[in-house]
Amino acid sequence: VIGWLQSINFKSELDPQYLLPSCAVRTGNKQLLVKFVQLFGYEITFTDTKNAFTLLHPAVEFGQFEMVPWLIKQGINPVNASKLG
């Protein structure tokens, strides 16, 4: 997927480590997020420090509220996330 995005000159200000997991969270797709972790080694607890985002941000922004407690159980600290913005 990353190779395809690069081939079409896709540009994003999001860290590539954050981009695909964020897409899975935006759609509320836990299975896809888990696959990204398994296949590509993404960290669910990753923080995009340039933009100060965790995966809690797209979950809330895109109304995927059922993802929030699940993400917290996976290790994202909501206190740290709120300090980031």
Side-chain angles (χ1 to χ4, degrees), residues 43-69:
E43 295 287 332
I44 290 178
T45 58
F46 177 79
T47 300
D48 180 342
T49 53
K50 178 181 177 188
N51 297 298
F53 292 147
T54 69
L55 291 177
L56 289 174
H57 291 83
V60 172
E61 181 180 356
F62 290 88
Q64 302 298 337
F65 301 114
E66 72 283 350
M67 292 286 288
V68 172

Side-chain angles (χ1 to χ4, degrees), residues 1-5 16-44 55 67 70:
V1 174
I2 295 289
W4 176 76
L5 290 172
Q17 173 73 9
Y18 178 80
L19 184 62
L20 291 179
S22 173
C23 290
V25 171
R26 290 171 190 212
T27 60
N29 194 331
K30 291 179 201 171
Q31 291 177 322
L32 183 58
L33 179 57
V34 169
K35 274 291 183 208
F36 285 149
V37 170
Q38 292 171 343
L39 294 174
F40 304 113
Y42 290 121
E43 295 287 332
I44 290 178
L55 291 177
M67 292 286 288
W70 184 83

Side-chain angles (χ1 to χ4, degrees), residues 5-24:
L5 290 172
Q6 290 171 337
S7 75
I8 63 167
N9 293 321
F10 177 81
K11 303 286 186 223
S12 175
E13 292 194 19
L14 297 175
D15 188 304
Q17 173 73 9
Y18 178 80
L19 184 62
L20 291 179
S22 173
C23 290

